[in-house]
Amino acid sequence: MTAALGRLDTVNPFADNLYGSWMARQLVYPALVQLKGTELEPAWAESWEVSDDGRSYTFHLQEGAWSDGTPLTAEDAAWTAQFELDHLDGAAGLVSFALEGVESVEAVDEQTLTVTYTEPIAEDVLTLLASFHVLPKHVYEPHAGNDGGDMLAFRPESELPLVSAGPFTMTEFDSDGTTIFEPNEGYYGEPPAVDVIGLQVFQNNEGLAQALQAGDVVWGYNAGSSVAESVGGASGVSVETAPSQEVGMVNINSNPDKPDHPELQDPAVREAMSLAIERDEVIEVELDGFGEPGRSVLAPFQERWIPEDIQADPYDPDEANRILDDLGYERGSDGIRTNADGERMSYEIVVWEEINRVAEILQKNLADVGIELTPDIAADYTATVTAPDGEYLDFDMAFSYWSLSPEPGGMLRIYSCDSWGSVNFAGYCDDEYDTVLDQQRGTVDEAERTALIGRLQEMLVREARAVLPLYHAETVHVVSDGWSGIEIDRFGPALWTNPHQG
Amino acid sequence: MSRVEYVARRVLSAVVTVVLAATINFLIFRAAPGDASTQYQMCRTCSAEFRDYLREDLGLNRSVIEQYLIYMGDLFRGDLGHSFQTRAPVWDELTGPLMNTLPMVGFGLLLGLVLGFAVGTMSAWRRGTVADWAPLSGSMFLSVLPVQWIGLMLLLLFSGTLPSAGMSDPYLRFSDPSWWDTLVDRAEHMILPSLAIGLAWCGVWALIVRSALVGSLGEDYILTARAKGLHSWRIMRRYALPNSMLPIVTMLFLTFGYIVAGSLLVETVFSYPGIGLELYQAVQNRDYALLQGGFLLLTVAIVLANLLADLLYFKLDPRITR
């Protein structure tokens, strides 16, 4: 079976977190749990239980072996976790989100692992562990030197077959072509239904669309809207969509010390801008219609955590104009409004090249309500937004885009004061927000936690409006008819062991 | 000008060109904002300390002058450095893709050459007739189309008949293929990208061949040959073609540089893992070392091809040494 994924530089998680390698790691490295939608399912861990204080989870692991014969034990997991925890701000920066809030990981015996969190956590948080891939300690440990720096240069696929304990092992590697995976005989779980999987890299959407129609490729994994649009209606292939796991949004500089444009701090001005945006057009242009209007900083697949009264802002330029008029921002002769200091309401939005079309729509929409917008294409995104030196004094607005993991805490943490200077693209820092954020993490009761998570979203996208959610891109797969078992909402080994012909 | 002096001048100017190009090459990437340590893949949530460590490890913390001297010194020893992304020697990173590209682009250029020669000769021979303007304008039309667009059209046209991506069938090895099967498989994957290049180039060739031939056909010796009652095809072959070789050879060598540069767009359309695609990825990863190596390779290829063309002129044009 051939599936098309993005580029795969290496399966070494420390060196490559591109989408392609993230998916490929599920084939070769064990994870404690796996996901169906946002639901937890057992994987390497058959079962688990929580300690009375709610801080420690004990996982009972299946017996297994690495493909080179070395036993797969809890020690591998403990070593991997320890390495990641030791290098959170360094070599493990790309993967550390999976161990968010973890204090320690200990091997009790060969088949028992205890994960201890800094505070009590809800079971939902364990969904993050689906992205924690256990590495063969005997293969990776020799490269742990140089404060983890050597790990970034390590390429496990330079020796094939790859030492693997997942359902497959890699037998041929081609970062620009097709990487071949064959079943791993010693795999502890359900053996795969196919004899071989090839993950092929396509540089060109039309090439992928043609390969899908010709039957050369069975599964365009998260192929995207343009491939779906291209094969639309062709016989032998179907387009399948899953609820969006992504969010694209406009962040507004919320640093009160920003010297210019004080009016941008006003939630009413922000609301007016939000009402001026025609989200449906953004979705049509950017996603060929495969998406939903931006509603919150969480994505539709996390529906149960999004308060019902937070809905996408309607497109209402008249109301936007009314709000701005009432606030006294009058239009100049060029049609652009001025603020109380006589400054023109002309803002820059930090974007990246690929998102230029979205920026053009925003530009047009805001011009209709008397606000000028200029895209600023940034090479070094974080540096541009946080300039100068992490103080957020420069930028007005910034586009950001995230693919989310099911556990909502990670996304909400982006807007904490802790993330100031790095991923916090709004320069938002609020004591109450941080307090509630910490509170929800220690809350085990589901209803109570859901309420706290809802409260955080209220603060961010309703009260402060530091973020204007734009759109949620649906996950779009293109799948060959005549194959079954392809469950696009899965994440974990079953994603790859279930598919079969017929 | 003596023969030795001519050669020495040409070689010296080639060396100066390469050194200049290497320098500009080095400076261009330093002038761009951001560097490998700010690149998303390397570091998303890295601390400032770890970034500093990366910059130190990659030698980016040294002064630009120092980096330049180290770079030129290594270059002099034939060392292109190590890729920032994979830490493997740049030379090793480039040779694999280059070996994939050479036969594909080579075959494409050959195809363009043969087609162009045929059209050009036909046009010059039958100047002013339908046999002149019909094939010529056809090939000219193709040559003004972007090569990636031709590629896309071929992709749509041959969908299902010929492979749309890659350079070989990854599953072939499971069927224990003979060398013949392997060759056929490689050729099948090469046809579309090569054809795209061939079609895009044949118009240029046709025009050059035609104008060179039309020039020679107007010479007095052709008139003499005609007066002698020689058959016109014989005149073409014995007198006109050999005397038109000068511009044609120049152009032939100039297109060698295209092997690296021009493959980029075609390789992206057909996901062909060659040098163009490798450099495209290097740009995205801000892998200076790999980019410098790649562009240097491109420069050296063009300079060498020009030098060869200059030297070949001895053979073709005796006037040079006079």
Side-chain angles (χ1 to χ4, degrees):
Chain A
M1 173 178 97
T2 305
L5 276 176
R7 185 177 154 90
L8 163 65
D9 274 339
T10 168
V11 288
N12 174 357
F14 306 113
D16 180 2
N17 208 29
L18 294 175
Y19 197 71
S21 45
W22 206 45
M23 291 299 140
R25 287 206 291 278
Q26 303 171 34
L27 293 156
V28 293
Y29 292 140
L32 297 170
V33 293
Q34 59 182 330
L35 302 176
K36 168 113 170 96
T38 56
E39 298 302 319
L40 268 180
E41 284 186 4
W44 183 25
E46 287 174 302
S47 61
W48 53 87
E49 68 252 350
V50 60
S51 64
D52 292 338
D53 64 359
R55 283 180 54 215
S56 296
Y57 282 81
T58 301
F59 294 89
H60 302 284
L61 309 173
Q62 304 191 54
E63 244 174 86
W66 294 97
S67 54
D68 65 353
T70 312
L72 164 69
T73 68
E75 184 52 33
D76 288 301
W79 178 83
T80 308
Q82 199 54 53
F83 180 85
E84 292 182 12
L85 292 173
D86 289 345
H87 300 91
L88 281 183
D89 295 327
L94 293 175
V95 284
S96 53
F97 71 93
L99 296 179
E100 172 86 44
V102 170
E103 185 179 87
S104 67
V105 177
E106 274 164 71
V108 180
D109 60 47
E110 291 206 338
Q111 256 60 61
T112 314
L113 187 78
T114 303
V115 179
T116 307
Y117 288 80
T118 49
E119 54 199 328
I121 57 140
E123 198 184 35
D124 287 324
V125 177
L126 297 185
T127 51
L128 282 174
L129 293 178
S131 296
F132 167 61
H133 287 110
V134 176
L135 305 171
K137 179 186 176 191
H138 61 292
V139 175
Y140 277 73
E141 197 178 27
H143 303 274
N146 225 339
D147 197 22
D150 289 353
M151 198 58 103
L152 297 180
F154 175 49
R155 295 291 175 269
E157 50 281 311
S158 59
E159 261 178 69
L160 294 176
L162 186 88
V163 176
S164 145
F168 291 86
T169 177
M170 183 194 289
T171 55
E172 206 163 314
F173 175 68
D174 183 352
S175 65
D176 285 322
T178 306
T179 297
I180 299 288
F181 297 85
E182 291 178 66
N184 179 9
E185 304 294 337
Y187 176 55
Y188 49 79
E190 193 69 27
V194 292
D195 295 333
V196 57
I197 285 184
L199 298 186
Q200 187 169 6
V201 179
F202 281 82
Q203 302 289 344
N204 176 293
N205 283 335
E206 197 49 49
L208 173 55
Q210 294 305 321
L212 280 159
Q213 287 175 56
D216 293 340
V217 169
V218 168
W219 186 1
Y221 190 97
N222 206 350
S225 52
S226 69
V227 175
E229 183 78 354
S230 187
V231 300
S235 65
V237 282
S238 350
V239 173
E240 288 182 29
T241 58
S244 173
Q245 310 196 2
E246 296 168 17
V247 52
M249 52 209 176
V250 174
N251 298 264
I252 302 173
N253 192 341
S254 303
N255 179 8
D257 296 332
K258 186 175 184 283
D260 57 352
H261 293 305
E263 76 280 5
L264 267 182
Q265 306 287 337
D266 182 356
V269 172
R270 295 171 175 186
E271 183 183 3
M273 290 201 286
S274 187
L275 291 170
I277 297 170
E278 193 175 4
R279 291 178 172 77
D280 287 341
E281 194 189 349
V282 174
I283 290 163
E284 202 46 54
V285 169
E286 183 63 17
L287 308 170
D288 298 303
F290 290 96
E292 290 175 39
R295 181 175 162 200
S296 177
V297 291
L298 299 183
F301 84 129
Q302 294 161 320
E303 176 80 39
R304 64 184 164 119
W305 281 296
I306 307 176
E308 215 158 286
D309 58 342
I310 294 186
Q311 294 296 336
D313 280 328
Y315 173 52
D316 193 347
D318 296 339
E319 175 64 9
N321 270 316
R322 193 196 57 79
I323 293 175
L324 294 169
D325 289 343
D326 286 357
L327 288 169
Y329 301 124
E330 281 172 24
R331 289 184 191 244
S333 55
D334 57 356
I336 302 301
R337 296 172 190 272
T338 48
N339 68 7
D341 305 333
E343 258 183 309
R344 286 173 81 242
M345 289 172 74
S346 170
Y347 311 125
E348 277 196 340
I349 180 164
V350 187
V351 292
W352 50 90
E353 186 74 54
E354 290 76 11
I355 214 70
N356 224 351
R357 287 190 303 178
V358 174
E360 277 170 25
I361 297 174
L362 297 181
Q363 208 169 14
K364 190 184 72 182
N365 287 162
L366 291 183
D368 289 344
V369 297
I371 293 175
E372 186 175 69
L373 194 65
T374 321
D376 171 15
I377 297 174
D380 187 341
Y381 207 74
T382 312
T384 309
V385 172
T386 60
D389 301 321
E391 289 179 55
Y392 299 93
L393 296 176
D394 254 10
F395 91 103
D396 301 319
M397 298 194 241
F399 180 82
S400 71
Y401 190 85
W402 298 94
S403 279
L404 309 185
S405 52
E407 157 47 33
M411 181 65 212
L412 295 165
R413 174 155 302 279
I414 284 177
Y415 293 100
S416 69
C417 302
D418 280 350
S419 308
W420 178 278
S422 61
V423 286
N424 186 336
F425 290 145
Y428 176 81
C429 174
D430 182 277
D431 287 342
E432 190 197 343
Y433 184 89
D434 281 14
T435 311
V436 180
L437 188 70
D438 287 344
Q439 221 178 330
Q440 63 81 22
R441 239 177 48 171
T443 304
V444 181
D445 180 76
E446 203 181 307
E448 212 176 308
R449 183 162 184 255
T450 306
L452 291 169
I453 287 173
R455 174 77 196 114
L456 289 170
Q457 295 168 72
E458 301 273 340
M459 280 190 255
L460 211 51
V461 303
R462 279 293 169 270
E463 288 163 24
R465 289 187 182 266
V467 176
L468 314 180
L470 274 186
Y471 59 83
H472 304 289
E474 279 175 351
T475 310
V476 181
H477 293 245
V478 182
V479 182
S480 227
D481 298 344
W483 281 74
S484 23
I486 293 179
E487 294 171 280
I488 60 173
D489 60 343
R490 279 195 171 278
F491 184 83
L495 183 71
W496 301 105
T497 53
N498 288 350
H500 55 275
Q501 213 156 3
Chain B
M1 204 191 310
S2 78
R3 177 176 284 230
V4 177
E5 200 190 333
Y6 176 80
V7 173
R9 272 177 180 224
R10 295 290 143 189
V11 172
L12 187 71
S13 98
V15 170
V16 171
T17 312
V18 168
V19 171
L20 266 177
T23 307
I24 294 171
N25 212 347
F26 174 88
L27 291 175
I28 277 178
F29 295 119
R30 261 78 190 168
D35 65 36
S37 75
T38 61
Q39 203 271 327
Y40 175 82
Q41 257 302 290
M42 280 275 199
C43 243
R44 184 172 53 179
T45 58
C46 287
S47 59
E49 295 81 47
F50 193 73
R51 266 188 192 196
D52 289 344
Y53 159 78
L54 271 181
R55 292 173 57 80
E56 195 183 316
D57 191 42
L58 299 172
L60 294 168
N61 59 335
R62 296 167 195 263
S63 73
V64 176
I65 304 281
E66 231 179 312
Q67 290 185 49
Y68 176 67
L69 291 177
I70 293 173
Y71 166 66
M72 289 307 267
D74 285 348
L75 215 57
F76 195 67
R77 286 191 297 275
D79 180 0
L80 290 175
H82 286 71
S83 154
F84 286 180
Q85 187 73 17
T86 65
R87 317 282 170 101
V90 164
W91 186 244
D92 295 354
E93 292 282 300
L94 290 176
T95 41
L98 186 66
M99 287 306 135
N100 294 344
T101 296
L102 281 179
M104 186 269 284
V105 177
F107 183 50
L109 288 179
L110 187 73
L111 213 67
L113 196 63
V114 171
L115 270 172
F117 237 89
V119 171
T121 317
M122 164 75 88
S123 298
W125 194 22
R126 295 271 177 255
R127 192 149 47 114
T129 68
V130 181
D132 173 12
W133 63 261
L136 190 69
S137 40
S139 60
M140 284 307 294
F141 175 69
L142 282 174
S143 74
V144 296
L145 297 175
V147 65
Q148 67 272 31
W149 190 82
I150 300 182
L152 267 178
M153 291 305 113
L154 290 173
L155 198 70
L156 292 174
L157 214 61
F158 290 96
S159 168
T161 335
L162 285 166
S164 63
M167 60 171 289
S168 58
D169 176 3
Y171 304 108
L172 193 67
R173 68 188 178 98
F174 293 107
S175 61
D176 200 12
S178 64
W179 66 268
W180 176 250
D181 298 333
T182 312
L183 194 73
V184 169
D185 175 54
R186 288 290 292 268
E188 276 181 353
H189 282 81
M190 218 158 73
I191 289 176
L192 291 185
S194 294
L195 193 61
I197 291 179
L199 290 176
W201 275 81
C202 72
V204 179
W205 281 109
L207 208 65
I208 289 168
V209 170
R210 183 183 182 276
S211 63
L213 274 177
V214 165
S216 342
L217 283 171
E219 299 283 345
D220 291 344
Y221 54 82
I222 300 286
L223 197 65
T224 315
R226 287 231 169 92
K228 276 162 65 181
L230 291 181
H231 186 263
S232 61
W233 176 239
R234 188 178 152 82
I235 295 175
M236 187 65 107
R237 205 164 43 89
R238 282 283 286 131
Y239 301 97
L241 265 177
N243 282 301
S244 316
M245 286 316 277
L246 215 52
I248 296 175
V249 167
T250 316
M251 196 56 204
L252 179 71
F253 278 95
L254 284 180
T255 48
F256 282 160
Y258 180 83
I259 286 186
V260 182
S263 59
L264 202 152
L265 295 169
V266 176
E267 285 175 1
T268 313
V269 172
F270 293 101
S271 308
Y272 197 90
I275 189 85
L277 212 54
E278 185 73 20
L279 291 182
Y280 175 68
Q281 306 287 0
V283 171
Q284 298 204 315
N285 291 331
R286 300 240 174 83
D287 195 333
Y288 295 160
L290 195 57
L291 280 173
Q292 278 167 191
F295 284 120
L296 193 69
L297 199 72
L298 165 72
T299 318
V300 171
I302 295 178
V303 171
L304 265 184
N306 277 324
L307 186 65
L308 266 174
D310 279 346
L311 298 181
L312 250 177
Y313 272 18
F314 271 134
K315 204 78 193 126
L316 298 167
D317 189 357
R319 283 171 301 186
I320 288 177
T321 45
R322 269 183 221 141

